[in-house]
Amino acid sequence: MFHRPASRRRLATPAVALGLLCTLSTSAWAGVHDAAPAIAQRGRVTAVASAPGSTTALAGYAIQSTAEASDPAADVSSPGYPASGWYPAGSRSTVLAALLAQGKYADPFYSTNQQKIPKADFAVPWWYRSDFTVTDTSERSYLDFSGVISAADVYVNGKQVAKAADVAGAYTHHELDITSLVRAGTNTVAFRIHPNKPIKNLTMGWIDWLQPPPDENMGIVRDVLVRRGGPVALRDAHVVTKLDVPSLAAADLTVKAKARNETGTAVSATVSGAIGSASFSKTVALAAHETKTVTFTPADSPGLHLTSPKVWWPAGMGGQPLYGLDLTASVAGTPSDTAHEDFGIRDVKAPLNSDGARQYSINGRRLLIKGGGWSPDEFLRWDRRYVEDRLKYALDLGLNAIRLEGHIEPDEFFDLADRYGILTLPGWECCDKWEGNVNGSERGDKWTAADYPVAKASMAAEAARLRDHPSVISFLIGSDFAPDATIEKNYLDALKAADWPTPVVAAASDKSSPQSGSSGMKMTGPYDWIPPNYWYAKREGGATGFNSETSAGPDIPTLDTLRRMMSPADLDTLWKNPGAKQYHRSPSSTFDTLKIYDAALTGRYGAPTGLTDYVRKAQLAQYENVRAQYEAYGRNATDTSKPSTGVIYWMFNSGWTSLHWQLMDRYLDQGGAYYGAKKANEPLHIQYSYDNRSVVVVNNRHTSASGLTARVTLFNTDGAQKYEKTAKGVTVGGDGERSTALTVPSSVSGLSTTYLARLILTDSKGQEVSRNVYWLSTKPDTLDWAKTDWYYTPTTSYADLKGLTSMAQVPVSATASTSSGPDGTSTTTVTVRNTGSGRTPSLLTDVHLVDAKGKPVLPVQWSDNQVSLWPGESTTLTATYRTADLRGSVPGVRVSGWNTPERTVPAT
């Protein structure tokens, strides 16, 4: 992310960089699902499989500070070492994650508890120790790992097998041949993990996203595998695909793998494989310790030419079929090693358009990238279910992409993205060592000679790991800055060697690199509050080009979540003191208060009268702003001049309990930001333009729509209708095309200063297909563009929306019922109705699914929510969720809104 302090924001050479790691396990932690963490128990031993080609992940570790464990490394890393008083840790765990699981510290996500954790505990190396058993020593054994943060000395059975200089960098991949040390029975591997320093190491840091963890994430955050194999090893297996575009009628597959002779004598190996019904085989002669690349192409293996291939598409554009590659290397008819890779067939292009913006297309179809910036858990705890829940939320929001600035997740993340059709944009992060050579006076040490091979090995490892995932559509080799010529060449050489199949982008900002050229992206902010009309200007962060990270900054969670994450004193300060430093916002001096946001909230809606009033105004403000951001980019995507080509909401989620940069909160509760995005990105959508008052229909479906009717009605806040206009016979093409149905006049007689605009789109049968309600003012927000800073543009006068506070309270009735669904899910159906006797609408009526104690049931996916209803109107909503998340409780439905009294009804 863009972080400039003053003016803007934000191994010895590793062994062998190989392909995908596999056989990965999952873990959970308390606080998200309120489930006990799956942590390896002290003394647990991993039984290693014997079959050639098998990989077994170490089940977990015992860990201890070297300040406490002062015994010689040879003793610590030998079988039988007692490890008394050590802490258990999971198979992927930072030091602090393990200590939190053991209850050593109070919940760091609550109030300022994290400040109380002593950093000195993590200023020395920590031991990670694990035992494993082997029954058959006739096969070769290897340690295969990445994700060491940030360097480690490695020992097996009392012998050092790698030094920290050789195992450096969070992303470097290592394979250590430990055959000569492994014995039948119990074996021990031990890692002495060195303290992590993102400013000094090519690793992972937290920039200004959240308060950084005291241990800086030191630990092992990906699985450590014990590989078994025979005399010939198979490595680097992958498939290069070439799809005929635009016909999609055929595809050519090229299969590659490296065959490595592990013996001191020449061997002849047969490498055979299959993809579906296509099989292929080749015999290769290997001299002692020789490695050769074995390649299969349609020319020698006709089955690799596919007619009518199953093509992978992003969600909403088609299906997500995957193919599987299986390879076996045999010597004298005996299997020596195996490999498996899943892959998808698709074509990605991302040229620069005539305005210099990067324009992505998939399988020949142009698309607007609509995404969010991804954050892992602050302590890098992997929980597959929690990740999957968030990715499902992305689909629910109508998003098609996730950007990962550093913190490149484990393999399962990309497996899930492949399955769900969510595009991913991984890349290196800013504001630390990664950009130390090119970021001027910003944070990050300059590189030494030892850093260049680590960076190149990191690129090689991630390229090999990600290349077969069809969800991965680029790699960003820079973030705020593009790499210099030397670093870029190393990156590009590594990508080329890995047969990287998709566009390489120089930076997430408007930068260029010597070989890759212009990034075609912009990083012009904002990162703090700006009004909704900002997004419609084709300048700065407005809806033109590809904005790689941007939002109106703060996203205040729901009241339920605020009470989970902040003390009563914290909550008092939150709404009473705009200038107070907010620990749950950011460590950055630019973003550590809510001063800009709170001034806008008061200026537009009126001063908050209490915590509840502050939160309800925040939800209204966040709904309108997030909606406007996505709507502006959606509207401008097909412009002939300076079109929008991509927008990444900064951020999609937070790694902890946060007050900014999130579309949903830590506990997966949904407020105004979430439902504003969901509304803006619905498949067939009617929207209002803040710049020219046009009413536009945007069609995100592939097929065109015709026979539509668009109607706009303007109301005073008391519900008095002052204007209405209808456009019939509206037609709009597919794939993001738009049609302007009508334009609201600049002046309407009798309209109050604060007023409501209701937009309704119906199909040819008169069925409502899209409804959108805006709260507007005859007095617009005014921006001071000349004083634009890197993180926001000042507002000199605010829209007057204070009239909303005078809206009459409106009763909303609710009836609800619940039924069981597939795979342990339930569905609650709710009908809400405005039963008021007057003419005032219920604005932004929110429906929350709750348990018997009134606590939200999360995660949940609503068909729609935060709806606005005029007297006599009703709508039926559905909520789908895991039945187990009720914890045996009877579900209830809590209904509230801007001008709706809160009430809860049963949903049995």
Side-chain angles (χ1 to χ4, degrees):
M1 169 175 183
F2 225 94
H3 310 242
R4 188 174 285 167
S7 61
R8 62 182 181 106
R9 115 159 140 138
R10 69 177 195 153
L11 68 203
T13 304
V16 183
L18 301 172
L20 289 169
L21 303 181
C22 50
T23 317
L24 300 172
S25 64
T26 60
S27 63
W29 63 89
V32 177
H33 304 296
D34 295 326
I39 294 292
Q41 297 302 307
R42 189 179 291 107
R44 181 175 176 182
V45 177
T46 304
V48 171
S50 298
S54 64
T55 55
T56 305
L58 296 180
Y61 306 90
I63 71 169
Q64 183 58 274
S65 167
T66 57
E68 300 294 330
S70 57
D71 294 324
D75 293 346
V76 172
S77 60
S78 293
Y81 180 77
S84 57
W86 287 38
Y87 301 95
S91 59
R92 310 175 197 177
S93 179
T94 66
V95 172
L96 187 50
L99 299 181
L100 289 170
Q102 292 304 300
K104 185 172 175 60
Y105 307 111
D107 178 8
F109 288 165
Y110 180 76
S111 190
T112 56
N113 283 348
Q114 186 168 247
Q115 287 183 316
K116 301 171 185 176
I117 301 174
K119 293 183 179 180
D121 289 355
F122 314 106
V124 298
W126 278 67
W127 279 111
Y128 275 59
R129 186 184 186 284
S130 188
D131 289 337
F132 64 94
T133 59
V134 171
T135 58
D136 180 5
T137 58
S138 64
E139 299 291 340
R140 304 192 67 83
S141 299
Y142 312 84
L143 275 184
D144 187 325
F145 59 92
S146 66
V148 172
I149 299 180
S150 156
D153 304 292
V154 187
Y155 299 82
V156 173
N157 291 343
K159 304 293 184 181
Q160 186 166 15
V161 293
K163 298 179 180 179
D166 301 323
V167 180
Y171 297 102
T172 53
H173 179 224
H174 309 275
E175 184 181 57
L176 307 176
D177 190 336
I178 58 173
T179 304
S180 63
L181 298 175
V182 170
R183 56 201 184 203
T186 301
N187 298 267
T188 299
V189 57
F191 294 81
R192 184 164 55 202
I193 309 290
H194 291 248
N196 184 36
K197 298 177 181 179
I199 300 303
K200 298 180 178 296
N201 307 135
L202 291 168
T203 178
M204 301 181 192
W206 285 103
I207 319 171
D208 52 9
W209 303 1
L210 47 72
Q211 299 291 348
D215 72 337
E216 295 284 4
N217 294 134
M218 68 184 297
I220 302 175
V221 298
R222 295 180 183 170
D223 283 346
V224 173
L225 307 175
V226 180
R227 280 183 178 265
R228 308 303 303 280
V232 172
L234 273 180
R235 299 291 186 266
D236 205 34
H238 62 285
V239 182
V240 180
T241 66
K242 183 178 181 181
L243 176 65
D244 286 353
V245 176
S247 73
L248 312 185
D252 286 334
L253 311 181
T254 298
V255 176
K256 292 185 177 182
K258 291 177 180 176
R260 187 175 72 211
N261 182 2
E262 301 285 52
T263 73
T265 58
V267 298
S268 179
T270 299
V271 179
S272 57
I275 297 175
S277 61
S279 59
F280 36 89
S281 184
K282 188 174 291 186
T283 299
V284 56
L286 296 169
H289 302 296
E290 183 182 15
T291 299
K292 285 184 179 179
T293 297
V294 183
T295 304
F296 302 93
T297 70
D300 55 46
S301 304
L304 296 178
H305 174 77
L306 306 183
T307 57
S308 300
K310 295 179 288 185
V311 176
W312 188 94
W313 290 94
M317 298 179 71
Q320 292 78 46
L322 296 174
Y323 288 82
L325 164 68
D326 287 292
L327 285 178
T328 301
S330 300
V331 176
T334 299
S336 178
D337 204 357
T338 62
H340 176 83
E341 284 290 299
D342 290 326
F343 65 96
I345 297 174
R346 54 91 176 94
D347 176 85
V348 179
K349 297 287 191 298
L352 304 185
N353 65 16
S354 59
D355 299 305
R358 197 164 292 276
Q359 174 65 72
Y360 280 86
S361 66
I362 306 290
N363 304 331
R365 282 164 53 183
R366 178 194 61 81
L367 81 161
L368 171 69
I369 296 293
K370 295 183 294 185
W374 182 265
S375 174
D377 169 68
E378 177 175 6
F379 308 111
L380 304 186
R381 296 170 292 191
W382 173 258
D383 181 344
R384 179 188 174 93
R385 191 178 77 175
Y386 185 50
V387 169
E388 190 167 13
D389 288 339
R390 283 179 284 166
L391 292 178
K392 287 179 179 178
Y393 270 15
L395 293 183
D396 184 52
L397 291 174
L399 303 184
N400 58 21
I402 290 294
R403 180 183 165 214
L404 298 96
E405 182 187 359
H407 300 283
I408 305 175
E409 292 277 38
D411 298 337
E412 297 102 315
F413 176 90
F414 297 96
D415 291 339
L416 290 168
D418 292 344
R419 182 199 305 175
Y420 288 119
I422 300 172
L423 305 173
T424 62
L425 294 159
W428 305 128
E429 66 190 38
C430 83
C431 315
D432 54 22
K433 184 60 173 278
W434 286 100
E435 295 186 348
N437 272 27
V438 292
N439 63 5
S441 61
E442 291 194 30
R443 287 160 51 90
D445 286 4
K446 300 298 181 185
W447 288 23
T448 67
D451 294 313
Y452 289 87
V454 173
K456 185 174 183 179
S458 300
M459 186 74 264
E462 290 304 288
R465 195 172 69 91
L466 301 177
R467 63 193 164 194
D468 276 339
H469 287 284
S471 59
V472 179
I473 58 167
S474 272
F475 199 95
L476 280 65
I477 55 175
S479 179
D480 289 20
F481 297 90
D484 62 26
T486 301
I487 296 172
E488 182 190 30
K489 183 179 186 303
N490 284 341
Y491 285 157
L492 295 180
D493 286 350
L495 287 160
K496 182 179 179 181
D499 293 320
W500 185 255
T502 59
V504 176
V505 180
S509 62
D510 184 13
K511 301 290 184 182
S512 299
S513 57
Q515 291 189 58
S516 302
S518 172
S519 71
M521 294 187 175
K522 66 178 183 178
M523 192 186 282
T524 45
Y527 299 98
D528 213 324
W529 191 89
I530 43 79
N533 62 348
Y534 172 98
W535 301 109
Y536 289 83
K538 290 195 173 185
R539 57 182 297 174
E540 274 72 43
T544 181
F546 196 121
N547 199 339
S548 69
E549 49 182 62
T550 186
S551 76
D555 286 303
I556 305 301
T558 63
L559 195 55
D560 294 294
T561 289
L562 286 172
R563 286 172 171 155
R564 289 181 72 175
M565 64 183 266
M566 301 176 82
S567 70
D570 296 336
L571 293 174
D572 248 14
T573 301
L574 175 65
W575 75 271
K576 289 180 178 178
N577 190 350
K581 290 186 177 181
Q582 295 290 342
Y583 187 69
H584 285 267
R585 186 156 191 221
S586 173
S588 162
S589 59
T590 303
F591 301 121
D592 60 356
T593 76
L594 292 166
K595 188 174 182 179
I596 296 171
Y597 177 84
D598 286 353
L601 211 62
T602 295
R604 300 174 91 238
Y605 291 101
T609 59
L611 177 64
T612 300
D613 186 53
Y614 177 82
V615 174
R616 77 181 189 122
K617 285 173 177 172
Q619 301 314 313
L620 211 64
Q622 288 154 200
Y623 186 106
E624 63 166 343
N625 215 314
V626 175
R627 175 178 61 180
Q629 176 176 336
Y630 281 113
E631 284 184 339
Y633 273 84
R635 188 198 70 175
N636 291 358
T638 54
D639 285 359
T640 55
S641 174
K642 298 179 70 175
S644 56
T645 62
V647 60
I648 301 295
Y649 188 87
W650 203 252
M651 300 176 62
F652 175 73
N653 69 295
S654 178
W656 81 324
T657 43
S658 179
L659 296 172
H660 76 166
W661 298 342
Q662 56 189 357
L663 289 174
M664 79 287 301
D665 65 41
R666 163 71 186 169
Y667 303 109
L668 303 183
D669 205 355
Q670 305 139 319
Y674 187 96
Y675 290 115
K678 182 176 172 69
K679 176 58 64 177
N681 296 317
E682 62 186 355
L684 185 59
H685 179 62
I686 189 169
Q687 63 187 61
Y688 172 80
S689 304
Y690 282 83
D691 58 342
N692 61 16
R693 305 177 312 286
S694 61
V695 174
V696 173
V697 179
V698 176
N699 185 7
N700 293 307
R701 303 180 305 189
H702 181 48
T703 57
S704 62
S706 60
L708 304 173
T709 298
R711 183 170 78 252
V712 58
T713 312
L714 305 185
F715 302 87
N716 287 346
T717 52
D718 64 359
Q721 180 176 319
K722 294 299 177 180
Y723 175 84
E724 185 167 86
K725 189 173 183 180
T726 300
K728 297 183 178 181
V730 177
T731 298
V732 59
D735 293 332
E737 291 290 337
R738 75 155 193 259
S739 177
T740 301
L742 48 87
T743 300
V744 176
S746 59
S747 178
V748 173
S749 177
L751 202 60
S752 55
T753 302
T754 305
Y755 64 97
L756 304 175
R758 183 183 67 192
L759 281 57
I760 295 177
L761 184 70
T762 54
D763 62 18
S764 58
K765 297 179 180 179
Q767 296 293 314
E768 185 176 300
V769 292
S770 178
R771 167 185 288 233
N772 211 347
V773 176
Y774 296 79
W775 38 103
L776 303 168
S777 175
T778 57
K779 178 188 175 185
D781 295 289
T782 305
L783 289 148
D784 189 352
W785 293 103
K787 293 184 179 178
T788 297
D789 204 339
W790 65 269
Y791 61 97
Y792 88 122
T793 297
T795 303
T796 56
S797 64
Y798 296 110
D800 186 353
L801 300 172
K802 298 181 183 68
L804 296 177
T805 61
S806 65
M807 291 180 69
Q809 290 287 292
V810 174
V812 173
S813 68
T815 57
S817 62
T818 299
S819 60
S820 297
D823 302 321
T825 64
S826 291
T827 297
T828 294
T829 302
V830 186
T831 298
V832 288
R833 180 183 298 274
N834 181 335
T835 57
S837 58
R839 57 190 182 185
T840 306
S842 61
L843 182 64
L844 226 64
T845 302
D846 179 271
V847 186
H848 253 70
L849 186 76
V850 296
D851 62 18
K853 296 180 180 179
K855 295 181 179 179
V857 177
L858 300 167
V860 61
Q861 289 198 8
W862 286 94
S863 57
D864 196 5
N865 211 325
Q866 298 198 343
V867 295
S868 298
L869 301 171
W870 268 251
E873 288 186 332
S874 66
T875 189
T876 298
L877 314 173
T878 60
T880 304
Y881 52 95
R882 284 186 290 265
T883 308
D885 289 337
L886 283 169
R887 298 174 183 82
S889 174
V890 175
V893 171
R894 186 178 69 206
V895 180
S896 61
W898 175 257
N899 59 328
T900 301
E902 182 179 306
R903 63 187 300 233
T904 300
V905 300
T908 54

